């Protein structure tokens, strides 16, 4: 390969597909009407936000859904509505995105980080041990990059320690464990509709639950004023009576414009998930054929959505990992790495979250992240593009070793 002209990939890893035409039409209609606020409805009219909520709840099979300003804000609302009080400890896997510990800290909680294992999911033995030791009352489980751990064991550990389970499903919208939708294993599930997730409204979040006290508080916290009756996905109004004067308004609503863009995307979500997985499966197979590279095996019960791929590179030094990333970058393959000493772009690793009290050293997680590579698989990439990417990675590794 050394002397031949290197292949260069030229597509952008951040390029998303267009919003479905139906969503654009509806969004334009709304802009012409000026009725963008979710409570700006005429008598008997159902807002786009309220309709999206009933449709999303039906999709995941929960009783209730609330649309929010972002996934981070929905996690914050979830923690508050589940009863987190200042100083309460919240367990969380250390491999996650910054808004997750951010939401815990914002809710007044204290983040207790848990190690991960070689398959990039939470270390359940460390969880079990820390649940006992820390006195935490909550587990915020982040299915980071779509990796779902053994949820039967998670539920068992939570039950045994009396932990309230909240799932961060920013990368698992459309995914299942043992045929049950991600986000329905605990008290609350939170999803993202931010541009780089499985549905795109720029920013946005969705919170689901079967618990009427949780949804009533989440609706009030989100900024419903006394207009909660206009929600379609809600319990009877007497449930709100109990909370309406003791729940501060945090103004974290979704607007109709975003809901209008999302409703047609939700109708297509299963097709989109299949398209991601075709690309993921191709990449997984091709990457696994390269020496020094391994994509961890996934449990057959995990029905994931391969909107990004992670692999571990072994037999090389940390210095060589950096050289590998740089050369891939020169050839147009943009790989993320949680091994940088300093936070970089969207990527920051747990050891830079210095606001966490008693920030632990997590040697197992550190070592895994130092050799883990990660890239998005946008649906604007064709199958041929995926083959090209794998070919470039292969040639970079071969040139190095
Ligand atoms: C993106 C992301 C979030 C936060 O989503 P926002 O909608 O941007 O707030 C939370 N968790 C994970 C794992 C994410 O990737």
């Amino acid at each position: 390969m050394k002397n031949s002209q290197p292949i260069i990939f030229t597509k952008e890893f951040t390029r998303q597909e267009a919003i479905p035409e139906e969503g654009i039409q509806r969004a334009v209609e709304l802009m012409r009407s000026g009725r963008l606020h979710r409570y700006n409805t005429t008598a008997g009219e159902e807002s786009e936000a309220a309709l999206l909520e009933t449709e999303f709840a039906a999709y995941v099979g929960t009783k209730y859904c609330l649309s929010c300003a972002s996934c981070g804000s929905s996690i914050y609302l979830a923690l508050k509505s589940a009863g987190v009080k200042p100083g309460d400890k919240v367990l969380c896997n250390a491999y996650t995105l910054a808004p997750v510990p951010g939401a815990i800290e914002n809710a007044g909680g204290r983040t207790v980080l848990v190690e991960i294992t070689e398959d990039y999911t939470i270390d359940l033995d460390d969880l079990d041990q820390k649940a006992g030791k820390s006195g935490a009352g909550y587990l915020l489980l982040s299915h980071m990059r779509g990796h779902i751990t053994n949820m039967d064991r998670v539920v068992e550990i939570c039950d045994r320690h009396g932990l309230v389970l909240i799932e961060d499903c920013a990368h698992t919208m459309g995914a299942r464990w043992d045929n049950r939708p991600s986000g329905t294993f605990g008290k609350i599930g939170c999803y993202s509709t931010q541009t780089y997730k499985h549905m795109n409204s720029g920013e946005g979040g969705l919170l689901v639950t079967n618990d009427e006290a949780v949804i009533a508080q989440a609706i009030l916290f989100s900024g419903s004023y006394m207009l909660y009756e206009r929600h379609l996905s809600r319990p009877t109004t007497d449930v709100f009576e109990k909370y309406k004067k003791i729940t501060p308004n945090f103004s974290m609503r979704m607007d109709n414009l975003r809901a209008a863009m999302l409703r047609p995307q939700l109708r297509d979500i299963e097709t989109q998930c299949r398209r991601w997985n075709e690309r993921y499966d191709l990449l997984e197979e091709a990457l696994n054929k390269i020496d020094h590279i391994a994509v961890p095996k996934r449990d057959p019960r995990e029905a994931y959505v391969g909107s990004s791929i992670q692999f571990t590179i072994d037999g090389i030094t940390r210095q060589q990992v950096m050289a590998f990333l740089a050369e891939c970058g020169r050839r147009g393959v943009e790989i993320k790495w949680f091994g940088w000493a300093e936070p970089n772009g969207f990527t920051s690793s747990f050891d830079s979250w210095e606001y966490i009290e008693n920030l632990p050293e997590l040697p197992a997680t550190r070592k895994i992240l130092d050799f883990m590579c990660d890239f998005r698989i946008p649906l604007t990439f064709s199958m041929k593009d995926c083959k090209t990417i794998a070919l470039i990675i292969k040639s970079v590794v071969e040139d190095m070793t």
Side-chain angles (χ1 to χ4, degrees):
M1 289 300 279
K2 265 212 162 94
N3 299 322
S4 59
Q5 199 67 1
I7 320 162
I8 307 281
F9 186 68
T10 52
K11 283 198 183 171
E12 279 175 80
F13 279 72
T14 49
R15 180 70 190 265
Q16 304 305 107
E17 290 187 298
I19 302 304
E21 198 47 44
E22 198 190 334
I24 296 176
Q25 291 296 330
R26 183 66 191 129
V28 168
E29 262 173 52
L30 278 167
M31 284 192 274
R32 295 221 159 91
S33 76
R35 294 187 178 276
L36 303 187
H37 194 285
R38 69 168 296 158
Y39 301 125
N40 186 358
T41 46
T42 53
E45 190 191 353
E46 293 167 337
S47 77
E48 291 289 325
L51 290 166
L52 171 67
E53 288 161 352
T54 52
E55 290 161 3
F56 194 74
Y59 172 63
V60 293
T62 52
K63 271 195 191 154
Y64 308 115
C65 171
L66 171 68
S67 57
C68 310
S70 66
C71 176
S73 62
S74 74
I75 297 171
Y76 169 70
L77 294 174
L79 292 163
K80 297 290 288 182
S81 307
V84 171
K85 296 282 177 295
D88 283 355
K89 293 192 173 146
V90 181
L91 294 150
C92 181
N93 41 312
Y95 175 42
T96 184
L97 213 68
V100 177
I104 297 173
E105 299 289 320
N106 195 19
R110 298 232 178 104
T111 314
V112 180
L113 294 175
V114 180
E115 296 261 31
I116 60 163
T117 57
E118 304 274 329
D119 65 357
Y120 317 137
T121 64
I122 192 164
D123 181 334
L124 294 169
D125 297 324
D126 194 42
L127 171 66
D128 198 352
Q129 200 207 0
K130 284 182 174 151
K133 269 198 189 150
S134 66
Y138 303 85
L139 168 62
L140 174 52
L141 178 61
S142 180
H143 304 297
M144 180 62 169
R145 295 294 194 254
H147 295 276
I148 307 175
T149 187
N150 182 337
M151 292 306 293
D152 304 334
R153 271 201 73 196
V154 169
V155 169
E156 185 275 317
I157 291 169
C158 288
D159 287 348
R160 189 152 39 77
H161 292 281
L163 295 172
V164 174
L165 172 62
I166 296 169
E167 290 176 80
D168 165 23
C169 304
H171 297 145
T172 55
M173 185 187 286
R176 293 167 167 263
W177 168 266
D178 208 8
N179 229 1
R180 180 164 164 182
S182 177
T184 64
F185 287 83
K187 205 182 231 348
I188 307 172
C190 298
Y191 305 79
S192 179
T193 65
Q194 186 242 73
T195 291
Y196 301 114
K197 313 299 164 92
H198 297 177
M199 297 199 291
N200 175 10
S201 59
E203 301 278 4
L206 294 159
L207 176 158
V208 301
T209 185
N210 288 321
D211 187 311
E212 57 177 39
V214 164
I215 195 71
Q217 292 175 85
I219 289 172
L220 290 163
F221 275 131
S222 80
S224 64
Y225 303 91
M226 294 302 135
L227 302 168
Y228 47 78
E229 272 189 59
R230 299 197 194 172
H231 286 245
L232 303 169
S233 187
R234 62 162 173 85
T236 50
T237 51
D238 56 296
V239 183
F240 293 84
E241 286 301 321
K242 196 170 151 195
Y243 300 107
K244 71 181 192 189
K245 293 181 183 166
I246 56 168
T247 308
N249 174 333
F250 296 137
S251 261
M252 292 180 168
R253 298 166 301 271
M254 183 183 281
D255 57 88
N256 285 333
L257 200 55
R258 288 190 269 173
M261 287 190 265
L262 292 171
R263 291 180 63 209
Q265 293 181 57
L266 180 57
R267 288 195 277 280
D268 276 349
I269 186 91
E270 292 292 310
T271 309
Q272 298 295 78
C273 292
R274 267 197 299 280
R275 293 176 62 215
W276 265 306
N277 286 353
E278 282 166 16
R279 287 158 179 75
Y280 181 95
D281 292 347
L282 183 154
L283 280 163
E284 180 190 36
E285 196 187 331
L287 292 173
N288 269 332
K289 284 188 185 141
I290 305 171
D291 282 346
H292 302 284
I293 284 185
V295 180
K297 267 212 168 56
R298 302 181 82 139
D299 192 295
R301 287 167 290 183
E302 184 191 7
Y304 53 85
V305 180
S307 54
S308 69
I309 193 162
Q310 292 70 41
F311 58 88
T312 294
I313 185 156
D314 70 13
I316 67 171
T317 64
R318 216 170 152 276
Q319 287 300 319
Q320 284 176 303
V321 175
M322 286 188 241
F324 164 78
L325 298 168
E327 186 53 24
C328 286
R330 274 192 285 277
R331 300 203 199 169
V333 175
E334 216 180 281
I335 296 179
K336 294 188 195 180
W337 189 44
F338 289 80
W340 297 109
E342 286 299 313
N344 189 314
F346 278 108
T347 324
S348 70
S349 86
F350 69 92
D351 28 23
S352 68
W353 302 334
E354 292 176 7
Y355 51 80
I356 295 178
E357 200 173 64
N358 305 320
L359 185 66
E361 279 187 30
L362 300 169
T365 302
R366 183 69 273 150
K367 191 168 160 227
I368 291 161
L369 295 183
D370 277 351
F371 294 94
M372 188 199 78
C373 299
D374 169 28
F375 63 89
R376 283 196 188 109
I377 313 176
L379 290 175
T380 49
F381 288 1
S382 64
M383 297 293 275
K384 187 161 165 276
D385 292 333
C386 295
K387 278 185 200 158
T388 305
I389 292 166
L391 221 59
I392 291 173
I393 293 174
K394 183 172 193 288
S395 98
V396 173
V397 173
E398 283 172 354
D399 286 355
M400 279 182 53
T401 55

